[in-house]
Amino acid sequence: MARCAALLRQQMMRPEFLRRAWMSQLNEDGDEEASFSFPSSLIGLERWRLPQEGCVEFDQPRSSIVRSIRDNFEAIEEDATDLAIAQLRACRPIPEPQVRELCYKARELLIEEGNVVTVDAPVTICGDIHGQFHDLMELFRVGGDVPDTNYLFMGDFVDRGFYSLESFLLLLCLKVRYPDRITLIRGNHESRQITTVYGFYDECIRKYGSANVWRYCCEVFDYLALGALILGASTEVPENRMQEKTFDTQTTLPDQESEIECEVLDANGEVREKLFRSQGNMNPASASRKSPAPDRDPAESSSPATTVSQPPTSPSQSNTKPPTASLFQPPSTTTGSLLCVHGGLSPLISTLNAIRLLDRKQEVPHEGAMCDLLWSDPDDIEGWGLSPRGAGFLFGSDIVRHFNHKNDLSMIARAHQLVMEGYKEMFSKQIVTVWSAPNYCYRCGNVAAILELGEDGSHGGCIRRANGSEGRREMVGGSVNSVGDGETTNGSNQNGGGLNAVLWNLATPGRRYRVFEAAPQGTRGMPAKKPVGEYFL
Amino acid sequence: MSASIPNLNTLRRGRGRGRGGVVGSGGRVDNDAIVRNTDCDAATSRLSAVEAGYLNDPFARYLTDESWQRRLPLMNRGTYVRTTGIDRIVDTFLLSTTGQKQIISLGAGSDTRYFRLKQEQHTNFSYHELDFKENNKIKIARLKDPQCVQTIKTLCSIDISTSKTTEDELQSDDYFIHSQDLRDLPKKLDWIDENIPTLFISECCLIYLSPEQADRVLSYFTDMTTSAPTAVVIYEPIKPHDPFGQTMIRNLMSRGIQLQTIEKYSDLLSQRERLTSRGLNARAADIEQIWRDWIEQEEKDRIDKLEWMDEVEEFLLLAKHYCISWGWTNYDDESRWLALSAPT
């Protein structure tokens, strides 16, 4: 038996993970040579059995054992990942060698992704998690489990909370197991420097006795994408998962006037708030929730001399035509696409392509475009401003409007800032902050939210809605006079130009926010001894 | 056999009381221990801010338990603003009159302010600290540490080792540590001079008393000096009703800490009225306003550079829930007091 194990080790040029799984089974049979042992809590040994019952017997020829392992390789590997997922779901860390293996695999996956990952709707967008593991479980309960729901997490998985390790590794495991179902992008806390200040480093030391796991994780951080581009989002609020799933509800054309643009549900799926889409964004329902000030463009304030401050590289704004639909070139989406990024925009970035050209595989720098994408915040200012965080910038509504226009985006989704209500739409719905760590740091008393986007019918073979709303553009800023449905002309934005600096940006996608509170303490094994939240005493 | 089994009830007692906040007979002892312990928290926060470069306080390390841990940048910043804010009020008090003055610090615990004032060459004042016996014992033992004695000698030109000490009390020329339970104040504290300008400091102290007790303590001191200039500075949490405040109350409750007066003095207005009703001119500002309005831009820039501050929103939230209120009366020249800005 010992020889068998040794031969296996020699011959199988398989990832270590499989070998270990195999050897731990041998170990159980009393093989002294098997050098690696899993803690018994991890090994549900019956789970490690090969899918084809009985095909692995030690009296079989070696080649047949190897062959059967090779034949069942993927199944075994999935099984192993599933096991790790199960363990992490119970909020128990996995052993260090397994973390190394996981991080290695994750890196192999992430290295294939571009700086801006393309993601197809439907998808659920999540903001900061910050090691609040039990709240992440609550998020999955409210938003649906993986792989039934597609998720996009916009970074800041670690730091501050007590379970950064379990939270990040679980998300990473899910990524490895369901690469197409879950997207992870980098937050400013996915950095060596920040994690040494804000807790993740200390947590790894505490839980493993060395910095190895922290190091493995940091290497993965360097490979995380910087942003994601969501394509094919519908202008309609996605089908409510909580209701009975019936697939043909879309066949009845919804009444144009009563189309729901945005819906807010509580954790039980009860509708708290509904917002109807109407022309020109001037629906009283939405107006009542928004303060007008941040949404107004300077060009509106009737000063002819006002030219909107822009990134220096965009004098050719007026040449940018929206994609016009024709028989041969139907618009790819009914809405524009949606950019997801952890922090926000950068004065050094005026197009998505500029993001794509960055060299991201490094520690987050202290300044520059990559730093800004992870650190910046939208603010009620014009143009750019200095950030109180000491990294990144503040950017105003004009910046967002032009960036979205230029890049055919209907919206930017970002995280990074604590918002007490869980989400906050700004600048005429041009940008939204999504925050997914309820009662942040066990202290802030905030609720959390996730954002669900539905799939536009075009990918599913459904009949395109023939109500003229393809490529529909909505006016952002400027006067309301000339609004017409189906309008596709590019509003004048000539430099030194018009009184009405109206930009016709793409219609926002239908949005459903699910708002949820912190998982109840105690019931989910919250540490009782640890002081909860620091105060000044 | 039975002798080796510990009496579980004696073990359980402290925890049970602390958590439930049940005050039965003897419950007071347990709650006191929890309140006394808050000083350890404060000392840790102070030393953390010192070590990170926010505050200059060479004495803090000698008066802090060795088990202290680094605090997050936002806590350090909060500690910095709180300390700097109160320092400013103390300075105002010390500079407003010329003759002999006294400062009385309630629940002073491991506070280092006396030594810092001495280091800054302030003269003509005596400094009295009041706290529980148990806290004083610890402090006096720490002050006797040779290194501490040496530091104080070097920086303040004071030989603390020559002062008269008992186990829990200390007397020197101008520095005094008194063991005094604020709930059992005698008719008259014989060491108080009612005829000289007096400043009372409560840094997170009165809030742990019941509203009646806290009011009585405050009146006790403000009524004492009737014609001499008198000033009060109170630092404590406010706003218990919004989500952050509710969470704060709940979290502290789970540690057995009850902020007893926070309902009564829940905002800047009621904090101010608490002092005006006692005949003082009063102002109040939250920590966020103090940071914004009292700290010079140059100093802000220095602070910003000390640590990455990725907790901007959280700091605002936290800072809005702590306030400094201060009042003064019987001053011929109020100009220094009036120069301290606060929202009206």
Side-chain angles (χ1 to χ4, degrees), chain A residues 517-532:
Chain A
E517 292 179 12
Q521 289 195 16
T523 54
R524 290 179 186 248
M526 213 57 105
K529 280 187 183 169
K530 189 115 185 167
V532 194

Side-chain angles (χ1 to χ4, degrees), chain B residues 20-135:
Chain B
V22 183
V23 184
S25 61
R28 180 164 156 173
V29 178
D30 294 325
N31 278 331
D32 284 0
I34 290 165
V35 169
R36 284 200 306 271
N37 253 322
T38 59
D39 179 54
C40 193
D41 242 82
T44 293
S45 293
R46 186 188 310 117
L47 186 53
S48 171
V50 170
E51 294 290 320
Y54 290 83
L55 293 169
N56 178 17
D57 184 344
F59 314 101
R61 80 179 60 178
Y62 301 111
L63 295 174
T64 307
D65 195 77
E66 279 171 4
S67 65
W68 77 279
Q69 283 180 322
R70 187 172 50 83
R71 294 267 150 111
L72 290 171
L74 92 161
M75 296 301 286
N76 288 338
R77 184 172 293 203
T79 303
Y80 165 81
V81 181
R82 152 201 189 160
T83 307
T84 312
I86 297 172
D87 281 353
R88 180 97 176 257
I89 289 165
V90 173
D91 282 350
T92 304
F93 167 77
L94 289 173
L95 297 172
S96 282
T97 56
T98 49
Q100 185 66 25
K101 296 163 279 278
Q102 63 190 344
I103 297 173
I104 297 173
S105 176
L106 310 177
S110 57
D111 193 33
T112 57
R113 188 165 275 111
Y114 166 75
F115 301 105
R116 289 192 288 114
L117 290 174
K118 278 304 195 184
Q119 190 190 4
E120 289 160 22
Q121 315 283 324
H122 281 288
T123 51
N124 281 344
F125 72 95
S126 60
Y127 202 98
H128 299 268
E129 297 183 347
L130 278 68
D131 210 323
F132 286 113
K133 241 185 181 110
E134 293 80 351
N135 281 5

Side-chain angles (χ1 to χ4, degrees), chain A residues 160 188-189 193-194 196-198 366 375 389 417-418 439-445 532 534-537, chain B residues 41-42 70-73 75 78-79 82 235 243-244 247-248 251 308-314 318 322:
Chain A
R160 309 304 307 272
N188 63 316
H189 278 261
Q193 205 179 352
I194 297 293
T196 47
V197 177
Y198 287 98
H366 283 219
W375 278 90
R389 298 179 197 265
Q417 273 178 304
L418 167 65
N439 196 18
Y440 180 43
C441 295
Y442 315 106
R443 174 168 65 187
C444 290
V532 194
E534 288 178 350
Y535 296 95
F536 301 116
L537 301 172
Chain B
D41 242 82
R70 187 172 50 83
R71 294 267 150 111
L72 290 171
M75 296 301 286
T79 303
R82 152 201 189 160
Y235 165 81
F244 182 96
T247 312
M248 172 167 71
N251 281 344
W308 289 67
M309 175 77 177
D310 184 42
E311 310 140 300
V312 177
E313 308 83 37
E314 209 189 342
L318 186 71
Y322 288 85

Side-chain angles (χ1 to χ4, degrees), chain A residues 294-305:
Chain A
D295 296 342
R296 201 161 287 149
D297 185 81
E300 253 181 297
S301 55
S302 75
S303 147

Side-chain angles (χ1 to χ4, degrees), chain A residues 74-216:
Chain A
E74 276 185 16
I76 293 170
E77 203 171 45
E78 279 178 7
D79 210 27
T81 313
D82 280 344
L83 210 62
I85 289 172
Q87 170 143 351
L88 286 165
R89 271 183 195 278
C91 198
R92 281 179 309 186
I94 53 176
E96 184 179 315
Q98 214 176 332
V99 176
R100 193 177 66 178
E101 194 65 42
L102 171 68
C103 290
Y104 177 79
K105 275 193 215 162
R107 251 178 20 228
E108 281 191 326
L109 267 176
L110 293 171
I111 201 170
E112 297 298 323
E113 292 185 345
N115 292 347
V116 183
V117 201
T118 307
V119 175
D120 285 322
V123 64
T124 299
I125 302 169
C126 312
D128 295 26
I129 300 298
H130 281 301
Q132 299 188 193
F133 180 86
H134 304 89
D135 300 322
L136 177 60
M137 292 297 104
E138 179 71 3
L139 184 155
F140 284 139
R141 187 186 72 79
V142 170
D145 216 336
V146 186
D148 306 333
T149 306
N150 300 337
Y151 281 101
L152 193 162
F153 286 88
M154 297 189 287
D156 279 11
F157 317 109
V158 298
D159 282 343
R160 309 304 307 272
F162 300 143
Y163 303 100
S164 292
L165 184 86
E166 292 83 350
S167 307
F168 178 61
L169 292 183
L170 175 61
L171 290 173
L172 210 57
C173 262
L174 292 171
K175 174 71 186 175
V176 166
R177 179 71 174 83
Y178 309 105
D180 302 329
R181 294 289 183 174
I182 185 161
T183 306
L184 307 176
I185 65 176
R186 193 171 192 176
N188 63 316
H189 278 261
E190 276 70 61
S191 121
R192 287 164 188 79
Q193 205 179 352
I194 297 293
T195 47
T196 47
V197 177
Y198 287 98
F200 181 50
Y201 176 83
D202 293 338
E203 186 184 325
C204 290
I205 298 280
R206 204 165 60 241
K207 290 178 178 167
Y208 289 95
S210 82
N212 290 344
V213 164
W214 173 76
R215 226 169 279 126
Y216 301 148

